[in-house]
Amino acid sequence: MSDAPNLPEGFTATFEDRFVQANGIRQHAVVGGDGPPLLLVHGWPESWYAWRFLMPTLAQDFTVVAVDQRGIGLTATPAVGYDSATLADDLAALMDELGHERFSLVGHDTGYIIAYALAADHRDRVERMAVAEIPGPPGVEHPEIPAPPLFVPDFLNNRLWHIPFNRVDDELIVNMVRSNAEEFYRYEFAIQGGGETLPNPTIKYYVDLYNRTKDALRASFGLYRAWDATLEQNHQRQQEKLTIPVLGIGGANSWGPAAAEGIRPAATNVETAVIPDTGHWVAEQAPDQMLELLSAFLKSA
């Protein structure tokens, strides 16, 4: 984390990089704090760094583990293993190696997908789960909120087009993004931002991380290219609903209450939280509100 810009004051005194061999790959996590374990799973196109504003306060009450998911950041970039079951197994194995049998869990964006898989596939491990800023796990069927079809209005198309684009399993996609990564990712951060984007140093850090090599860039699309497998896995998971407490968090200028509504068909105990005047990047755009929500939810056990 030495190259991460603008970390909160005193961050490196509390947190350290950990490199752990787990589930057959080398995983990177930033770990610190004291108390019950709390696993934070970032979204795309981010890394552990997305949680930086929340981590010092959370570390006062929890042992915080902010992981780079498979194919992202400083975690290994294998050619396979990007379906949600394998990504969940990665994190279960990581927590085993760190000595945490049971833990709470927070996931954002693609981390929402992985968090749901982890909670569903390892039901004896996760105590409670907060998920943010997508309209439910893909493949979980909501009787009143069907998944968006391919042809959708502009305001949805402009925010969702990257999913079918990233799913195209061809070097064309890697080459196209690599040749214009700055504009590709800046568009994503802006269009999902709900009227604002992230600071330039933050975006540059993410762009440089994702585009540092062709192998790293290719791996960053892995979850999207395994989308069909994840759809089928989630259809099966939904047959047995989660019974743990679940908090769905949405930005009012982004997915709002859909973050909670999308998982209700797969869980029996779901709370809804919507953060006003906030877009998709809730942990970076509204860290104080996120901390308030998470602290109340996680401490209510």
Side-chain angles (χ1 to χ4, degrees), residues 40 51 54 58 105-109 112 129-136 246-264 270-276 278-284 286-298:
L40 307 178
W51 304 107
L54 279 60
L58 290 172
L105 177 61
V106 183
H108 170 257
D109 186 78
Y112 185 135
M129 176 178 74
V131 285
E133 263 306 299
I134 60 171
V246 176
L247 174 63
I249 304 171
N253 296 344
S254 185
W255 289 110
E261 292 304 315
I263 201 170
R264 284 193 193 279
V270 180
E271 301 176 36
T272 303
V274 177
I275 302 177
T278 301
H280 180 67
W281 316 105
V282 285
E284 298 185 85
D288 292 342
Q289 294 92 325
M290 278 289 285
L291 280 170
E292 183 178 355
L293 290 170
L294 290 177
S295 296
F297 175 71
L298 295 170

Side-chain angles (χ1 to χ4, degrees), residues 216-235:
L217 184 58
R218 187 181 303 107
S220 73
F221 298 131
L223 179 145
Y224 296 96
R225 293 176 174 183
W227 200 266
D228 287 347
T230 293
L231 289 173
E232 178 57 30
Q233 291 166 4
N234 282 345
H235 178 71

Side-chain angles (χ1 to χ4, degrees), residues 153-167:
D154 283 352
F155 78 98
L156 284 176
N157 182 78
N158 294 347
R159 291 163 59 194
L160 297 175
W161 73 277
H162 69 279
I163 296 176
F165 178 85
N166 291 353
R167 285 178 70 182

Side-chain angles (χ1 to χ4, degrees), residues 109-254:
D109 186 78
T110 56
Y112 185 135
I113 299 171
I114 300 168
Y116 170 61
L118 179 54
D121 294 359
H122 301 270
R123 292 172 184 260
D124 58 333
R125 306 293 303 276
V126 178
E127 294 185 346
R128 52 184 49 225
M129 176 178 74
V131 285
E133 263 306 299
I134 60 171
V140 168
E141 298 175 1
H142 195 297
E144 298 177 2
I145 309 175
L150 178 61
F151 298 106
V152 294
D154 283 352
F155 78 98
L156 284 176
N157 182 78
N158 294 347
R159 291 163 59 194
L160 297 175
W161 73 277
H162 69 279
I163 296 176
F165 178 85
N166 291 353
R167 285 178 70 182
V168 176
D169 193 0
D170 192 278
E171 282 297 282
L172 171 69
I173 302 303
V174 176
N175 292 333
M176 286 176 66
V177 173
R178 187 156 176 77
S179 67
N180 201 14
E182 187 83 14
E183 289 193 39
F184 176 72
Y185 290 112
R186 283 190 180 277
Y187 175 88
E188 183 67 19
F189 283 114
I191 198 66
Q192 307 286 2
E196 61 179 277
T197 190
L198 300 183
N200 280 332
T202 299
I203 295 176
K204 184 179 187 306
Y205 175 69
Y206 288 135
V207 172
D208 291 346
L209 187 67
Y210 274 64
N211 201 37
R212 66 189 187 276
T213 67
K214 284 189 72 171
D215 286 343
L217 184 58
R218 187 181 303 107
S220 73
F221 298 131
L223 179 145
Y224 296 96
R225 293 176 174 183
W227 200 266
D228 287 347
T230 293
L231 289 173
E232 178 57 30
Q233 291 166 4
N234 282 345
H235 178 71
Q236 297 300 319
R237 292 180 182 116
Q238 186 180 352
Q239 307 311 308
E240 183 181 356
K241 291 187 176 185
L242 298 178
T243 57
I244 58 171
V246 176
L247 174 63
I249 304 171
N253 296 344
S254 185

